Amino acid sequence: MGTENPGRPTFPSRPPFAAAQTMTPFAPTAAVVGSEPPSFRPTPPAPPLASTPFSSSGPAVAQGTPSFRPAPLGRFNDPSVPPPTSNVPPAGGPFQRFPMPQFSSTAQAPPQHPPPMGQPPIQPSAGQTPSFVPMGSPPSSATPALSGLNVPPPAFQPSFPGYAQKQNGGVQMQAPPVHSSPLSNQGNYGPAPPAASSPFQPHQGGYVPQPPGAGPLGIQHMSSQASGPPIGGVQGLSEDFSSLSIQTRPGLMEPSVDAKELPRPLDGDVEPKSLAEMYPMNCHPRYIRLTTSAIPSSQSLSSRWHLPLGAVVCPLAEPPDGEEVDVVNFAATGVVRCRRCRTYVNPYVTFTEAGRKFRCNMCALVNEVPSEYYAQLDATGRRVDLNQRPELTKGTVEFVAPAEYMVRPPMPPIYFFLIDVSISAVRSGMIEVVAQTIRSCLDKLSGFPRTQIGFATFDSTIHFYNMKSSLTQPQMLVVSDLDDIFVPLPDDLLVNLSESRSVVETFLDSLPTMFQDNVNLESAFGPSLKAAFMVMSQLGGKLLIFQNTLPSLGVGRLKLRGDDSRVYGTDKEHLLRLPEDPFYKQMAAEFCKYQISVNVYAFSDKYSDIASLGTLAKYTAGQVYYYPAFQSVIHGDKLRSELRRDLTRETAWEAVMRIRCAKGVRFTTYHGNFMLRSTDLLALPAVDCDKAFAMQLSLEETLLTTQTMYFQVALLYTASCGERRIRVHTAAAPVVTDLVEMYRLADTGAIISLFSRLAIENTLSRKLEEGRSAVQLRIVKGLREYRNLYAVQHRLANKIIYPESLKFLPLYGLALCRSTPLRGGYGDVALDERCAAGHTMMTLPIKRLLKLLYPNLIRLDGHLLKADEMKSIDRRLPLTGESLDSRGLYIYDDGFRFIIWFGRVISPDIAKNLLGTDFAAELSKVTLKEHNDEMSRRLVKVLEKFRNTDRAYYQLCHLVRQGEQPREGFLLLSNLVEDQMGSYSGYADWMLQISRQVQQS
């Protein structure tokens, strides 16, 4: 395929390195977020530290138990010291980028060749010679190549070998000429250029079929049918790396790093753009994000990638602003798919034989085009109807499914509410808030006029409600036999909302007072769960559970396990985080089988065994909401907002999801809330825009023979309007032979998202300490492999090096180890809170997860004093005590709560304006509300602005004043992840630990 390129210089081969030992510390199991503990818990004496794999290099992360201690002098800025003004590293500091060494002047430069399409010829300036960087290049026998299958033309040329490239010294390089021949019947990017002008040819909404024997990039020679950007050894290894200097300062025995130079994600999550530039018809990255956008070409290369290899998928993510998902109805034609691998038609299929056939981009099978779908090809190979076919030009599209995609008529949206009415629920005010919120959302429930609704309440007995439309008020039906559950009047317990609206409203108005005198302490939760299943099993739907008391009667009753300090640090520790009774997992399997999704709202101020109750949500694609010590006066707004979103957000009903890959790779493990129905089919009784799923990828073949890998997510579901639909997301990614390319195109957000799910699952079978150590080990091995790539060519002593794409990985790894599901041990986090946090993090999309791990810290007092500066209020500060000025007002926002910190010497006028007469009171007893003052109104607007950026969760305000211990400790100081706190490492120490372990052989 192709010819030798005589003008190409011969690069020296990379020196061999010993293969790093491969280890998979995570074993996927099941899932297990809540807010901070309601009160600070005393810390028992720390147990002896267990040995860890890193004992020779400093303490492991978050061993033992933290203790909160007042900040030492100088921790917060004194009023006489101005606050920090910038976190930008100074030019020329230790955090810098290193250019690669150049060839000697005797190296042969390659001949000139015509530039790529759309680029003017590039010539070196007078007196300059193009420079080349050989660092770590592949063996000389391996030549970057373009083989012929399915690589799309980029919107503009990225920095890959074979294209004019700007080097560090300002010198531009050009690669050897590429011989290319024009292609017919392909293209949707304009008329074909002259044969010799570029390796890219126009082609229709799909890509050039692969000739026999074509190999991945970097293995075979240039093919005349190349249709995309080459990815290869030379450019990848000429890419600069970033580094951090380790310094030994006078008077200090230990080395240190300058904290000001540490990389910080102060811009939050940044969605990767590399694939969008290379493959402009890919779906948006908010639907699919790969942990690295470069797929390894071989199992041996994959084994050197010690970080997770996989993807994070959010199939119903809200479209980018100004965009809508196109709905395509093939009508009588039926959905066009490959007859062998069942891939849906997409922008990367290619049409041949004058448009009568198409080649599948996944398996390369040539399929007949249905006569109703046939369209001629124009002179450039484009379908003449291309502009009217969004499925051939866009990576995300929705097909209307015909009758063969249904096993029953599409179900209507169904909401069934199971409400605890025991004495603790009544006293907390939960019942009143729930009833009022449901009533306010009746007009906004999706699916009108098909929507159905039903209610049941329980204490020591179960209460059903007949809401037949012919009644003027509901009838209560009580079942007290918990051993032999039956459903009275089964046809009248789920009613059509539009027909029985007045009866439903009457019930919701009377519910808060119906049980106001109830003194029943018991909870027949298990039997009521079975009763709800019997009511809903005919159609399915969404079951919303409001639970306040530990189940104590009938099947599914639970014991008060609580936190046993004697168990922590032993082999039985993980059992506390697993369901105690198999009843709940069995019920979850039954719910999923009958298309019922369960959302659990837990409110108890005592132990309520979230580890067991959360199982219902885990296996039914549901969600866990946790409100410890709920009181409606304090937490009512949060419950109202989150329940309203749960009821009104667009929901996909009775859904199944499958992810297809091109030949040679497959997804092996899946992580999130779902039931795995077969090896690759995820059952999702109900799914929405707030749910994300992670999965790990593995290579099935020793060597991939394609140049581009394709992925397609297909979600078959019933829309609330009653239509059966298929949402399809398609993405392409390059296959590479070079490990440096994998690092260069890595996505920290996707890696951390997969890391977090693996780590949380790890805590269900191992000790917390082992889960944290596993995270650290994977990061160390990944950075060690990267360091080995450059160890020969550079002097790396006293330097921490990492790829630019992963510069935030160590910090996010530290934050993950200090997160609620993983940190500390007994006494650090209440068991229910730890389990609820784990359940929540298992479902979070990437952007929300990264904000939870590294929250926003923003100074407010300057903005409140000057109304015209509100636009710049998003400036984030590093999460360290040095960012806090004793004269300032700060907000800490992790997406789930606000913590507003008042400096010790803040202006009395600011405190008085914001807090009113409570400005001098203990802030734990103060509720922030709007006062008749301009500054107070500005603060309320700021909080509303932050809440509007993401409405999935409602952030309640927690007020704390500097020096209020232990409240300041557990609310804020323990969450400043860059500072050392008790046994938790700070950011600088963590980087030094990582550096020592990376440099160990």
Side-chain angles (χ1 to χ4, degrees), residues 463-468 471 473-478 489 492-493 503 507:
H463 323 116
F464 296 98
Y465 299 90
N466 178 6
M467 298 187 183
K468 195 172 181 179
L471 300 174
Q473 61 182 17
Q475 294 178 343
M476 179 191 287
L477 308 165
V478 180
L489 301 176
D492 297 328
L493 301 180
V503 185
F507 167 75

Side-chain angles (χ1 to χ4, degrees), residues 886-933:
S886 298
R887 299 164 299 179
L889 177 74
Y890 295 80
I891 184 170
Y892 170 97
D893 172 19
D894 63 4
F896 291 82
R897 61 183 176 168
F898 291 144
I899 297 171
I900 299 181
W901 185 86
F902 289 78
R904 184 183 290 111
V905 292
I906 189 173
S907 167
D909 292 338
I910 295 178
K912 189 176 297 185
N913 290 337
L914 298 181
L915 303 177
T917 57
D918 296 326
F919 75 99
E922 184 181 342
L923 294 187
S924 61
K925 301 176 181 178
V926 177
T927 301
L928 187 68
K929 52 183 178 289
E930 184 173 341
H931 298 279
N932 188 24
D933 177 82

Side-chain angles (χ1 to χ4, degrees), residues 591-758:
F591 280 129
C592 186
K593 180 179 178 182
Y594 288 91
Q595 303 297 343
I596 301 169
S597 179
V598 181
N599 284 0
V600 178
Y601 292 76
F603 301 92
S604 179
D605 57 345
K606 302 186 180 79
Y607 177 71
S608 54
D609 203 345
I610 300 296
S612 296
L613 302 183
T615 307
L616 296 168
K618 173 177 174 54
Y619 294 106
T620 63
Q623 198 164 341
V624 175
Y625 298 86
Y626 183 51
Y627 308 86
F630 178 86
Q631 292 297 322
S632 60
V633 176
I634 301 172
H635 308 99
D637 288 342
K638 182 174 179 66
L639 175 58
R640 287 187 192 95
S641 176
E642 292 173 357
L643 178 56
R644 184 180 298 113
R645 180 173 176 89
D646 189 9
L647 295 175
T648 58
R649 63 189 170 192
E650 183 57 40
T651 300
W653 307 87
E654 51 181 346
V656 291
M657 184 173 74
R658 174 174 275 132
I659 305 179
R660 295 178 172 87
C661 314
K663 184 181 178 184
V665 302
R666 68 184 182 94
F667 287 106
T668 52
T669 61
Y670 299 83
H671 313 273
N673 286 5
F674 55 85
M675 181 70 79
L676 199 59
R677 197 174 282 179
S678 64
T679 56
D680 63 345
L681 186 67
L682 279 59
L684 310 170
V687 65
D688 52 68
C689 61
D690 296 326
K691 303 289 193 306
F693 308 89
M695 49 223 63
Q696 292 192 88
L697 188 71
S698 66
L699 273 67
E700 290 186 303
E701 298 180 356
T702 305
L703 186 67
L704 298 182
T705 57
T706 58
Q707 184 178 335
T708 303
M709 184 56 59
Y710 298 96
F711 304 95
Q712 187 176 82
V713 176
L715 180 76
L716 173 63
Y717 72 98
T718 297
S720 295
C721 64
E723 211 168 40
R724 196 76 171 143
R725 291 185 176 179
I726 310 161
R727 179 166 292 200
V728 177
H729 306 290
T730 307
V735 176
V736 301
T737 60
D738 190 350
L739 188 61
V740 172
E741 282 298 321
M742 295 182 65
Y743 279 105
R744 191 177 69 82
L745 297 177
D747 181 350
T748 297
I751 289 172
I752 288 296
S753 186
L754 195 45
F755 252 153
S756 66
R757 286 162 168 83
L758 292 170

